[in-house]
Amino acid sequence: MKTILVTGGAGFIGSNYVRHVLTTCEDVRVVNLDVLTYAGNLENLEGLEDDPRYRFVRADIADAGAVEAAVADETVDEVVHFAAESHVDRSIEDASAFLRTNVVGTQALIDFARAREVARFVHVSTDEVYGQLGPDDPAFTEETPIQPNSPYSASKASSDLLVRAACHTHGFPGLITRCSNNYGPYQFPEKLIPLMISNALEDRPLPVYGDGLNVRDWIWVEDHCAAVDVVRQRGELGQVYNIGGRSERTNLDVVKAILGQLGKPESLIEFVKDRPGHDQRYAIDDSKITAALGFVPKVGFDEGIRQTVAWYTANETWWQRVKSEAYRDYYERMYGERTGEG
Ligand code: NAD
Ligand code: TDX
């Protein structure tokens, strides 16, 4: 039995990944290490508490002593590193937590993983490190220069470079994935799709930045999790792999698809002040991961958005507890302590 340390496993993609790997790999245990910021929600993992192959530990990746203490009694074979501050708008307001977690935290985790001599370390990064594209530019490849435009993407680019440097200098067994925009169950309703679905369900305005013509490539979260796990199992050490959903859409297309499915009027759309430095377009060339590892995403946008709208409609309690902050009591109830402020 192999033990995988998953960081950030209480967040959106991390929690989907924890479920994915426990379901698809019988020979692994997961230790989920998460500090539980506002984005960490143990309700995403409800039902796993009694699974003998799952353990939750609470620690800040930027606090090396706390990480070591939290897993002192564990043999860590592999690391899959999701923990990050992830919301662009928050990074524009205040970048400090992004530098601490994404940059300092990633280096501390590299140091921990080196000391423990882990066999593989998958660093989960983003297409935003490549900057933005114009309407007719070719999609990002792994060779596209790193040109981040927001404090968030600059902090993620920094973390990628630290992993790259550790591979080069220390022969560190790092792998980097760069994925496009995810959507699906358990996404915090500050991000475009869950914000728009939850607002529409409450007949509240849908705030679209600028002209709504910015383009993102949307990937169903389960496809991203499957790709990360293919890289964990079979990726070549030291390599970068782009992951995409093959589903470019303007934000307006996305919002109209949600309203259409819910039978709500387009008059709910409210054009608001643009995000400063708003990247125009992201698009992923995923030919490397397809050719090298045989990965292709399975769920297209029409099917994915249908399932996502259905999930948020059926799980209103989940997002209402996020909006009211009631979800923050879960740790205390299950593990006997109060969550700190994120
Ligand atoms: P999220 O914000 O939903 O979750 C982040 C998790 O990390 C939370 O559980 C939080 O408590 C935890 N965390 C934050 N700071 C920590 C710290 N100092 N120590 C320990 N845990 C900490 O994020 P997400 O959307 O699930 O993204 C996960 C990863 O995937 C991030 O690295 C992000 O950059 C990357 N990514 C996200 C997307 C996307 O569309 N959401 C796309 C590409 C890449
Ligand atoms: O209220 C909104 N109105 C709006 O028009 C919000 C929250 C967003 N938007 C726009 C901005 C973007 O063009 O929608 C698009 C998507 O916005 P976000 O959901 O904030 O995602 P984005 O900025 O593209 O970044 C996401 O994808 C890459 C994740 O948050 C990152 O963690 C990931 O790395």
Short mmCIF file of all heavy atoms in Angstrom, two decimals, residues 86-89 126-128 152 181 190-192 195-196 207-209 214 216 218 251 275 278 282, ligand 2:
data_model
loop_
_atom_site.label_atom_id
_atom_site.label_comp_id
_atom_site.label_asym_id
_atom_site.label_seq_id
_atom_site.Cartn_x
_atom_site.Cartn_y
_atom_site.Cartn_z
N SER A 86 -6.19 30.53 -4.63
CA SER A 86 -6.52 30.25 -6.03
C SER A 86 -7.38 31.30 -6.73
O SER A 86 -7.67 31.14 -7.92
CB SER A 86 -7.24 28.90 -6.11
OG SER A 86 -8.53 29.00 -5.52
N HIS A 87 -7.80 32.35 -6.02
CA HIS A 87 -8.76 33.26 -6.67
C HIS A 87 -8.10 34.57 -7.11
O HIS A 87 -7.60 35.34 -6.29
CB HIS A 87 -9.92 33.54 -5.74
CG HIS A 87 -11.08 34.21 -6.42
ND1 HIS A 87 -11.50 33.89 -7.70
CD2 HIS A 87 -11.91 35.19 -6.02
CE1 HIS A 87 -12.52 34.64 -8.04
NE2 HIS A 87 -12.80 35.45 -7.04
N VAL A 88 -8.14 34.81 -8.42
CA VAL A 88 -7.47 35.97 -9.02
C VAL A 88 -7.92 37.28 -8.38
O VAL A 88 -7.10 38.15 -8.03
CB VAL A 88 -7.73 36.00 -10.55
CG1 VAL A 88 -7.21 37.29 -11.17
CG2 VAL A 88 -7.10 34.78 -11.22
N ASP A 89 -9.23 37.46 -8.18
CA ASP A 89 -9.73 38.74 -7.62
C ASP A 89 -9.16 39.00 -6.23
O ASP A 89 -8.84 40.14 -5.89
CB ASP A 89 -11.27 38.74 -7.58
CG ASP A 89 -11.89 38.76 -8.97
OD1 ASP A 89 -11.31 39.40 -9.87
OD2 ASP A 89 -12.92 38.11 -9.18
N THR A 126 -1.24 25.96 -13.34
CA THR A 126 -2.34 26.54 -14.11
C THR A 126 -1.87 27.09 -15.46
O THR A 126 -0.71 27.53 -15.59
CB THR A 126 -2.99 27.69 -13.28
OG1 THR A 126 -3.88 28.42 -14.12
CG2 THR A 126 -1.95 28.66 -12.76
N ASP A 127 -2.79 27.14 -16.42
CA ASP A 127 -2.47 27.75 -17.71
C ASP A 127 -2.23 29.26 -17.59
O ASP A 127 -1.65 29.88 -18.48
CB ASP A 127 -3.57 27.47 -18.75
CG ASP A 127 -4.95 28.00 -18.37
OD1 ASP A 127 -5.11 28.57 -17.26
OD2 ASP A 127 -5.89 27.85 -19.18
N GLU A 128 -2.67 29.85 -16.47
CA GLU A 128 -2.54 31.31 -16.33
C GLU A 128 -1.08 31.77 -16.25
O GLU A 128 -0.80 32.95 -16.44
CB GLU A 128 -3.32 31.81 -15.10
CG GLU A 128 -4.79 31.55 -15.24
CD GLU A 128 -5.66 32.32 -14.25
OE1 GLU A 128 -5.21 33.32 -13.68
OE2 GLU A 128 -6.81 31.89 -14.06
N TYR A 152 -1.87 36.40 -8.62
CA TYR A 152 -2.10 34.95 -8.49
C TYR A 152 -1.23 34.17 -9.46
O TYR A 152 -0.48 33.27 -9.07
CB TYR A 152 -3.58 34.62 -8.74
CG TYR A 152 -3.82 33.15 -9.06
CD1 TYR A 152 -3.68 32.18 -8.09
CD2 TYR A 152 -4.14 32.73 -10.36
CE1 TYR A 152 -3.86 30.82 -8.38
CE2 TYR A 152 -4.32 31.39 -10.67
CZ TYR A 152 -4.19 30.44 -9.68
OH TYR A 152 -4.35 29.10 -9.98
N ASN A 181 -9.38 26.25 -16.92
CA ASN A 181 -10.42 26.48 -15.90
C ASN A 181 -11.26 25.23 -15.63
O ASN A 181 -11.87 24.69 -16.55
CB ASN A 181 -11.37 27.58 -16.38
CG ASN A 181 -10.75 28.96 -16.30
OD1 ASN A 181 -9.71 29.20 -16.91
ND2 ASN A 181 -11.37 29.85 -15.55
N GLU A 190 -17.29 31.65 -5.33
CA GLU A 190 -16.70 32.93 -5.70
C GLU A 190 -16.24 32.88 -7.16
O GLU A 190 -15.99 33.89 -7.78
CB GLU A 190 -15.48 33.24 -4.81
CG GLU A 190 -14.34 32.25 -5.02
CD GLU A 190 -13.15 32.42 -4.08
OE1 GLU A 190 -13.08 33.42 -3.35
OE2 GLU A 190 -12.29 31.51 -4.08
N LYS A 191 -16.12 31.65 -7.72
CA LYS A 191 -15.64 31.45 -9.08
C LYS A 191 -16.82 31.54 -10.04
O LYS A 191 -17.97 31.31 -9.65
CB LYS A 191 -14.94 30.08 -9.21
CG LYS A 191 -13.81 29.87 -8.19
CD LYS A 191 -12.52 30.54 -8.59
CE LYS A 191 -11.49 30.63 -7.48
NZ LYS A 191 -11.06 29.38 -6.88
N LEU A 192 -16.53 31.87 -11.31
CA LEU A 192 -17.59 32.24 -12.25
C LEU A 192 -18.80 31.29 -12.25
O LEU A 192 -19.94 31.73 -12.02
CB LEU A 192 -17.04 32.33 -13.69
CG LEU A 192 -18.10 32.72 -14.73
CD1 LEU A 192 -18.46 34.19 -14.65
CD2 LEU A 192 -17.63 32.39 -16.15
N LEU A 195 -20.80 30.77 -8.90
CA LEU A 195 -21.40 32.06 -8.50
C LEU A 195 -22.64 32.35 -9.34
O LEU A 195 -23.69 32.73 -8.83
CB LEU A 195 -20.37 33.18 -8.67
CG LEU A 195 -20.88 34.58 -8.34
CD1 LEU A 195 -21.11 34.74 -6.84
CD2 LEU A 195 -19.92 35.67 -8.83
N MET A 196 -22.51 32.12 -10.65
CA MET A 196 -23.62 32.43 -11.55
C MET A 196 -24.79 31.47 -11.32
O MET A 196 -25.95 31.89 -11.31
CB MET A 196 -23.15 32.36 -13.01
CG MET A 196 -22.07 33.36 -13.35
SD MET A 196 -22.63 35.08 -13.14
CE MET A 196 -21.08 35.97 -13.19
N PRO A 207 -23.13 39.09 -12.14
CA PRO A 207 -22.17 40.15 -12.47
C PRO A 207 -21.12 39.70 -13.50
O PRO A 207 -20.20 38.96 -13.17
CB PRO A 207 -21.50 40.44 -11.12
CG PRO A 207 -21.58 39.13 -10.38
CD PRO A 207 -22.83 38.46 -10.84
N VAL A 208 -21.28 40.14 -14.74
CA VAL A 208 -20.34 39.78 -15.80
C VAL A 208 -19.34 40.93 -15.97
O VAL A 208 -19.74 42.08 -16.18
CB VAL A 208 -21.09 39.51 -17.12
CG1 VAL A 208 -20.13 39.35 -18.28
CG2 VAL A 208 -21.97 38.28 -16.97
N TYR A 209 -18.05 40.61 -15.87
CA TYR A 209 -17.01 41.65 -15.97
C TYR A 209 -16.86 42.14 -17.42
O TYR A 209 -16.80 41.33 -18.35
CB TYR A 209 -15.65 41.11 -15.53
CG TYR A 209 -15.55 40.65 -14.09
CD1 TYR A 209 -14.51 39.80 -13.70
CD2 TYR A 209 -16.44 41.06 -13.11
CE1 TYR A 209 -14.37 39.37 -12.39
CE2 TYR A 209 -16.32 40.63 -11.80
CZ TYR A 209 -15.29 39.79 -11.44
OH TYR A 209 -15.16 39.37 -10.15
N ASN A 214 -14.39 37.68 -22.74
CA ASN A 214 -13.15 36.96 -22.40
C ASN A 214 -13.42 35.46 -22.56
O ASN A 214 -14.51 34.98 -22.27
CB ASN A 214 -12.74 37.26 -20.95
CG ASN A 214 -12.57 38.74 -20.73
OD1 ASN A 214 -13.55 39.48 -20.78
ND2 ASN A 214 -11.35 39.18 -20.53
N ARG A 216 -12.35 31.41 -21.86
CA ARG A 216 -11.67 30.42 -21.04
C ARG A 216 -11.89 29.04 -21.67
O ARG A 216 -12.90 28.83 -22.36
CB ARG A 216 -12.21 30.42 -19.59
CG ARG A 216 -12.02 31.77 -18.86
CD ARG A 216 -10.56 32.01 -18.58
NE ARG A 216 -10.28 33.23 -17.83
CZ ARG A 216 -9.93 34.40 -18.38
NH1 ARG A 216 -9.88 34.52 -19.70
NH2 ARG A 216 -9.62 35.42 -17.63
N TRP A 218 -12.82 25.43 -20.65
CA TRP A 218 -13.42 24.82 -19.46
C TRP A 218 -13.21 23.31 -19.43
O TRP A 218 -13.51 22.62 -20.40
CB TRP A 218 -14.91 25.16 -19.39
CG TRP A 218 -15.11 26.62 -19.17
CD1 TRP A 218 -15.35 27.58 -20.11
CD2 TRP A 218 -15.01 27.32 -17.92
NE1 TRP A 218 -15.42 28.83 -19.52
CE2 TRP A 218 -15.23 28.70 -18.17
CE3 TRP A 218 -14.78 26.92 -16.59
CZ2 TRP A 218 -15.20 29.67 -17.17
CZ3 TRP A 218 -14.77 27.88 -15.59
CH2 TRP A 218 -14.97 29.23 -15.88
N ASN A 251 -17.29 34.14 -21.61
CA ASN A 251 -18.03 34.15 -20.34
C ASN A 251 -19.53 34.31 -20.58
O ASN A 251 -20.34 33.72 -19.88
CB ASN A 251 -17.50 35.27 -19.43
CG ASN A 251 -16.06 35.02 -18.99
OD1 ASN A 251 -15.61 33.87 -18.98
ND2 ASN A 251 -15.35 36.09 -18.64
N ARG A 275 -12.44 43.39 -14.37
CA ARG A 275 -11.33 43.02 -13.48
C ARG A 275 -10.06 43.73 -13.98
O ARG A 275 -9.76 43.66 -15.19
CB ARG A 275 -11.15 41.51 -13.56
CG ARG A 275 -9.92 40.97 -12.89
CD ARG A 275 -9.76 39.46 -13.14
NE ARG A 275 -10.63 38.67 -12.30
CZ ARG A 275 -10.78 37.34 -12.42
NH1 ARG A 275 -10.13 36.67 -13.36
NH2 ARG A 275 -11.59 36.69 -11.61
N HIS A 278 -7.51 42.08 -16.67
CA HIS A 278 -8.27 40.89 -17.05
C HIS A 278 -7.71 40.21 -18.30
O HIS A 278 -7.77 40.78 -19.39
CB HIS A 278 -9.72 41.33 -17.29
CG HIS A 278 -10.71 40.22 -17.33
ND1 HIS A 278 -12.06 40.46 -17.41
CD2 HIS A 278 -10.57 38.87 -17.30
CE1 HIS A 278 -12.70 39.30 -17.43
NE2 HIS A 278 -11.81 38.32 -17.37
N TYR A 282 -7.57 32.28 -22.69
CA TYR A 282 -6.67 31.16 -22.44
C TYR A 282 -7.10 30.02 -23.35
O TYR A 282 -8.30 29.78 -23.53
CB TYR A 282 -6.75 30.63 -21.00
CG TYR A 282 -6.58 31.64 -19.89
CD1 TYR A 282 -7.40 31.61 -18.78
CD2 TYR A 282 -5.56 32.60 -19.94
CE1 TYR A 282 -7.23 32.50 -17.73
CE2 TYR A 282 -5.40 33.50 -18.89
CZ TYR A 282 -6.24 33.45 -17.79
OH TYR A 282 -6.09 34.33 -16.76
O1 TDX B 2 -18.13 37.51 -10.97
C1 TDX B 2 -17.41 37.20 -11.94
N1 TDX B 2 -17.69 37.71 -13.18
C2 TDX B 2 -16.93 37.44 -14.28
O2 TDX B 2 -17.21 37.93 -15.38
C3 TDX B 2 -16.27 36.32 -11.80
C4 TDX B 2 -15.91 35.74 -10.44
C5 TDX B 2 -15.51 36.05 -12.92
N2 TDX B 2 -15.81 36.61 -14.12
C6 TDX B 2 -14.97 36.29 -15.29
C7 TDX B 2 -13.49 36.50 -15.10
C8 TDX B 2 -12.88 35.43 -15.99
O3 TDX B 2 -12.79 35.90 -17.32
O4 TDX B 2 -15.13 34.90 -15.54
C9 TDX B 2 -13.90 34.29 -15.94
C10 TDX B 2 -13.54 33.20 -14.96
O5 TDX B 2 -13.23 33.82 -13.73
P1 TDX B 2 -12.77 32.96 -12.43
O6 TDX B 2 -13.81 31.92 -12.16
O7 TDX B 2 -12.41 33.94 -11.36
O8 TDX B 2 -11.50 32.19 -13.01
P2 TDX B 2 -10.11 32.70 -13.65
O9 TDX B 2 -9.78 34.08 -13.25
O10 TDX B 2 -10.17 32.39 -15.13
O11 TDX B 2 -9.10 31.67 -12.92
C11 TDX B 2 -9.47 30.28 -12.73
O12 TDX B 2 -8.87 29.45 -13.69
C12 TDX B 2 -7.50 29.20 -13.58
C13 TDX B 2 -9.14 29.79 -11.32
O13 TDX B 2 -9.74 30.63 -10.36
C14 TDX B 2 -7.67 29.67 -11.11
O14 TDX B 2 -7.38 29.13 -9.83
C15 TDX B 2 -7.09 28.79 -12.18
O15 TDX B 2 -5.69 28.74 -12.08
#
